[in-house]
Amino acid sequence: EDVVFFKRRIPYDTIYKALTVTLSGLLLVMTVTMLLTITEPGKEFLMILFEATSAFATVGLSMGLTPELSPFGKVLIILTMFAGRVGPLTIAFAVTLRRKPDPFKHPKGKIMIG
């Protein structure tokens, strides 16, 4: 039932947070790749995918495509680098509305399941 890694139990909220970061990063890279594929005709798909992935990972690698991009493509790469550096979860928390916490907590109830 528990997730154990190196003889340590990992809480489910940590696992959900890791999955959220991974999936949102993957979704961002796929979206940027598709947008660059649309806005940059004639460029090879794998080169565009490499540039988008490299920008998100902020590793500094390039296949020489970035200087050839249109201004919109360059802005897209810049925003992808920023999102990769700050982190998708941090950006999502910054953008969402903050809800005021309830001034009280309800008591726990034990419910029989099954």
Side-chain angles (χ1 to χ4, degrees):
E1 288 184 16
D2 292 334
V3 177
V4 178
F5 190 69
F6 288 116
K7 297 183 181 179
R8 302 278 184 198
R9 187 178 56 82
I10 301 173
Y12 284 112
D13 61 333
T14 304
I15 293 169
Y16 294 145
K17 199 177 291 186
L19 281 173
T20 302
V21 168
T22 303
L23 291 178
S24 62
L26 185 63
L27 181 67
L28 178 69
V29 169
M30 288 182 353
T31 303
V32 168
T33 302
M34 290 303 135
L35 286 173
L36 285 175
T37 303
I38 293 168
T39 61
E40 309 296 327
K43 307 291 187 216
E44 190 177 337
F45 176 75
L46 286 178
M47 286 180 74
I48 292 173
L49 178 64
F50 183 86
E51 294 291 328
T53 305
S54 176
F56 181 74
T58 61
V59 294
L61 297 175
S62 177
M63 294 184 79
L65 181 65
T66 306
E68 300 174 7
L69 294 176
S70 65
F72 179 75
K74 289 179 182 178
V75 168
L76 214 57
I77 290 292
I78 290 169
L79 292 175
T80 306
M81 288 174 150
F82 179 75
R85 181 70 179 124
V86 173
L89 197 60
T90 305
I91 293 173
F93 282 143
V95 171
T96 57
L97 298 174
R98 309 240 186 236
R99 199 183 94 184
K100 292 182 180 177
D102 292 331
F104 57 89
K105 287 189 177 188
H106 295 284
K108 288 185 181 180
K110 295 196 179 205
I111 302 172
M112 191 166 73
I113 300 175

